[in-house]
Amino acid sequence: NMAIRGVAHFGKEALSPTLAQIRGSDPVKVGGALYVIREMLKDRLLNDPDSQAQVKTALRGAFARPEEAIRDSAISAVEYLDDRVEFVPLLQEVAAYDTSKIEGVKPNDNQDNGEYYPVRSHARSLLRKIANNEAPLRPQIPTSPQSIGQR
């Protein structure tokens, strides 16, 4: 979404209002704010220790929310943290115990006794990436005028 990417592009200047939305009660606004945080992290716009600490606190709070989509969005944001290994214990807990289940869908990872728990599955996927030291996908930034024309 262009609006979310636009807000994310402001980086640290947009961090405080974005974090305020994450602490709010409207699940739609919380989800949107988590997406903004994900984009900020993805684009490496929050590199200072204070911003990183604030984001980590907000993400931990998001994992405690009852809404499946919010917990899932938090996992997507954690992927782009430079020190995402710090979240391994929390991701392991989510991967084992998240209660959100979709009936009638078969899991693609042969886990959870044949039942599909989407947030668990997403957490396991990120845990595999972390264990394998797989870098998150980041946008390619042109490094020379010639590469701009090749996009």
Side-chain angles (χ1 to χ4, degrees), residues 68 72 75 91-102 105-112 115-129:
E68 166 193 337
D72 199 56
I75 294 169
L91 290 167
Q92 288 172 328
E93 183 178 325
V94 170
Y97 302 112
D98 193 88
T99 59
S100 181
K101 178 170 66 168
I102 298 178
V105 177
K106 296 286 184 196
N108 58 0
D109 60 4
N110 296 319
Q111 298 285 323
D112 301 317
E115 297 184 291
Y116 183 55
Y117 292 83
V119 180
R120 288 183 190 184
S121 180
H122 192 183
R124 284 192 293 267
S125 174
L126 181 52
L127 284 165
R128 280 190 298 277
K129 286 180 180 181

Side-chain angles (χ1 to χ4, degrees), residues 39-146:
E39 292 301 306
M40 289 175 172
L41 293 169
K42 185 177 180 181
D43 292 342
R44 298 185 184 270
L45 299 173
L46 302 173
N47 294 324
D48 63 287
D50 183 53
S51 295
Q52 289 274 320
Q54 290 180 61
V55 166
K56 289 175 188 177
T57 298
L59 291 174
R60 284 187 186 94
F63 277 108
R65 298 279 303 234
E67 301 90 355
E68 166 193 337
I70 290 174
R71 294 189 309 278
D72 199 56
S73 292
I75 294 169
S76 294
V78 166
E79 179 170 0
Y80 291 93
L81 286 169
D82 289 336
D83 54 352
R84 61 192 182 172
V85 135
E86 181 179 319
F87 278 79
V88 164
L90 183 53
L91 290 167
Q92 288 172 328
E93 183 178 325
V94 170
Y97 302 112
D98 193 88
T99 59
S100 181
K101 178 170 66 168
I102 298 178
E103 298 292 337
V105 177
K106 296 286 184 196
N108 58 0
D109 60 4
N110 296 319
Q111 298 285 323
D112 301 317
N113 297 316
E115 297 184 291
Y116 183 55
Y117 292 83
V119 180
R120 288 183 190 184
S121 180
H122 192 183
R124 284 192 293 267
S125 174
L126 181 52
L127 284 165
R128 280 190 298 277
K129 286 180 180 181
I130 293 169
N132 294 328
N133 294 312
E134 292 178 35
L137 296 176
R138 296 195 187 273
Q140 295 298 316
I141 300 171
T143 56
S144 68
Q146 292 81 17

Side-chain angles (χ1 to χ4, degrees), residues 22-50:
I22 291 174
R23 290 187 295 269
S25 60
D26 182 340
V28 174
K29 290 180 181 177
V30 173
L34 285 166
Y35 190 78
V36 169
I37 292 294
R38 176 183 171 261
E39 292 301 306
M40 289 175 172
L41 293 169
K42 185 177 180 181
D43 292 342
R44 298 185 184 270
L45 299 173
L46 302 173
N47 294 324
D48 63 287
D50 183 53

